[in-house]
Amino acid sequence: MSDLDLVIRARRAVLGDSGTPGDSGTPGRGGSGEVAVTVGVKDGYVVAVEPYSSPGDSGLPPDVVDLGEDVVLLPGLVDTHVHVNDPGRAEWEGFASATRAAAAGGITTLVDMPLNSLPPTVDVAALAAKREAARGRIHVDVGLWGGAIPGNLPDLRPLHDEGVFGFKSFLLHSGVDEFPPLDPEGLEAAMRTLRDFDGLLIVHAEDAAVIERAPDPHGRHYPGFLASRPPEAEDAAIAMVIELARKTGARVHILHLASADALALLAAARAEGLAVTAETCPHYLSFVAEEIADGATQFKCCPPIRGAANRERLWQGLADGIIDCVVSDHSPCTPELKRFDSGDFGEAWGGIAGLQVAFPAVWTGARQRGFSLADVVSWMATRPAELAGLTGKGRIAPGCSADFCVVAPDEAFVVDAATLAHRNPVSAYDARPLAGVVRSTWLRGERITGDRPRGRLLERKGT
């Protein structure tokens, strides 16, 4: 290893689903999945993962990074559900602030959603505008989703050829008029189009008709907002998406699952062999409807945060492998749009700002329920990378990008939204005690400091 650019000696490491040198234990409940390793890096890539060598071992360069027993070396996390909003609404969040926040939270790769920016990423010209806004300003690697909206079927293949990672669609109003929803016929047409080139459709699955029949959201009381987005809306939409996946043979991914009632549908689709995957988010695993105070619109998101029993069933869905991954759905806005003046849930923007604290939020809940860091790495690094086709991300293995985060899993802190790197100091996690401090984040073998943007724009086939 003497000719390497970087050597990291870690007494504790989680490598991801990549195999481990020596005896790694059993990941998940009942095993830590931790190993002691020495990792060698050359030209930004991992070239060696070997059993741990002590500081006195020969053949190593003198400037190795030697990690203590209080920290764990993890692969850089991968967040495939981030709303950066740049260009067009960069006052909500921009590429510079979002990627600094990601790095501070151990995330080395994110994939940006096509809406809330202006223009939305629904054609090649808009994709070029998005890339231009990001170029030279990103501190982590960034990929881009495209969008599937009414009238842009001819744009899907060109966007795919230009390297987007898949296509997002809504089945009801998205919250912004420039990104309209697909009706069932339009959704089927998009799925048939994507099937022809093995494109991935990612779906905000809430049924517009069910929500139309529900009470209108208004007022300061969270139960009123919760009633306006019932779990039946998710269940009906997911059932329709599964049926169309069966009919068309397309690959589909269910975004931000909040209704645990839909787990049985997803399990049956998986057992049938359909190409259907699903994600949930840290806020659905952390918060419960019963504890949301009147006027606390920082907790508003769509689908909504549901009850405590529902939350525990989502954790069980992760344990059972029905839910594939956990991603932030970071959807920030300016403080004014949260309507703290009125506290009206009907008027406030729906979205949780949680990019920087996604890992500690999930780890805090996971460790309380007997999960290991290996489970969290699977949910927040390996599987999101697999979803997006980023074969060189989410694992520590020879040939992978040398992206790491170093965490102190037993160190606790209290979130202060004003100190987060997000553009605006609004977060549902404010004042929440969490475990798991990210000590450092590394991109292609160099520590991210936030003073020099070194992130790359990724395309679907690149890593």
Side-chain angles (χ1 to χ4, degrees), residues 134-149:
R135 192 165 285 112
R137 300 174 57 222
I138 52 178
H139 296 270
V140 302
D141 287 352
V142 173
L144 303 171
W145 296 109
I149 64 171

Side-chain angles (χ1 to χ4, degrees), residues 59-198:
L60 296 176
D63 57 346
V64 299
V65 175
D66 191 44
L67 301 179
E69 293 185 2
D70 63 326
V71 296
V72 184
L73 179 69
L74 309 180
L77 306 178
V78 178
D79 191 340
T80 54
H81 195 148
V82 179
H83 294 269
V84 177
N85 312 321
D86 194 0
R89 291 190 175 100
E91 70 274 14
W92 296 14
E93 191 79 274
F95 278 109
S97 57
T99 55
R100 280 195 186 95
I107 297 163
T108 54
T109 304
L110 64 83
V111 188
D112 177 47
M113 285 292 167
L115 74 157
N116 300 346
S117 56
L118 293 170
T121 314
V122 295
D123 56 37
V124 170
L127 176 64
K130 175 85 78 168
R131 285 176 170 161
E132 185 58 33
R135 192 165 285 112
R137 300 174 57 222
I138 52 178
H139 296 270
V140 302
D141 287 352
V142 173
L144 303 171
W145 296 109
I149 64 171
N152 86 324
L153 277 181
D155 296 296
L156 301 184
R157 183 59 189 259
L159 281 166
H160 177 84
D161 291 344
E162 285 294 317
V164 301
F165 286 84
F167 299 87
K168 182 174 188 177
S169 64
F170 278 76
L171 305 181
L172 77 173
H173 195 278
S174 68
V176 291
D177 292 338
E178 66 272 7
F179 200 96
L182 294 173
D183 60 20
E185 292 75 21
L187 185 69
E188 180 176 349
M191 290 170 73
R192 291 189 182 280
T193 299
L194 297 181
R195 175 202 59 196
D196 291 343
F197 51 85
D198 197 32

Side-chain angles (χ1 to χ4, degrees), residues 302-393:
C302 300
I305 294 162
R306 305 195 188 279
N310 182 87
R311 178 184 65 179
E312 297 312 308
R313 291 169 63 201
L314 291 177
W315 279 106
Q316 188 61 46
L318 283 165
D320 295 339
I322 301 169
I323 301 173
D324 297 88
C325 50
V326 183
V327 291
S328 71
D329 189 12
H330 178 67
S331 185
C333 65
T334 59
E336 295 78 16
L337 290 175
K338 276 297 187 182
R339 294 307 308 268
F340 294 123
D341 55 342
S342 67
D344 191 312
F345 281 96
E347 296 176 351
W349 173 260
I352 302 286
L355 182 63
Q356 185 171 334
V357 296
F359 166 77
V362 175
W363 170 235
T364 299
R367 72 195 309 225
Q368 292 169 350
R369 293 165 175 83
F371 293 104
S372 69
L373 278 171
D375 295 307
V376 177
V377 165
S378 180
W379 302 331
M380 301 190 75
T382 311
R383 290 181 183 173
E386 291 171 351
L387 171 73
L390 290 164
T391 56
K393 300 285 189 179

Side-chain angles (χ1 to χ4, degrees), residues 5-6 41 44-45 401-404 442-447 454:
D5 301 325
L6 171 70
V41 175
Y45 290 89
S401 184
D403 301 346
F404 314 117
W442 302 67
L443 181 66
R444 282 184 295 279
E446 292 187 40
R447 184 168 179 167
R454 294 187 301 102

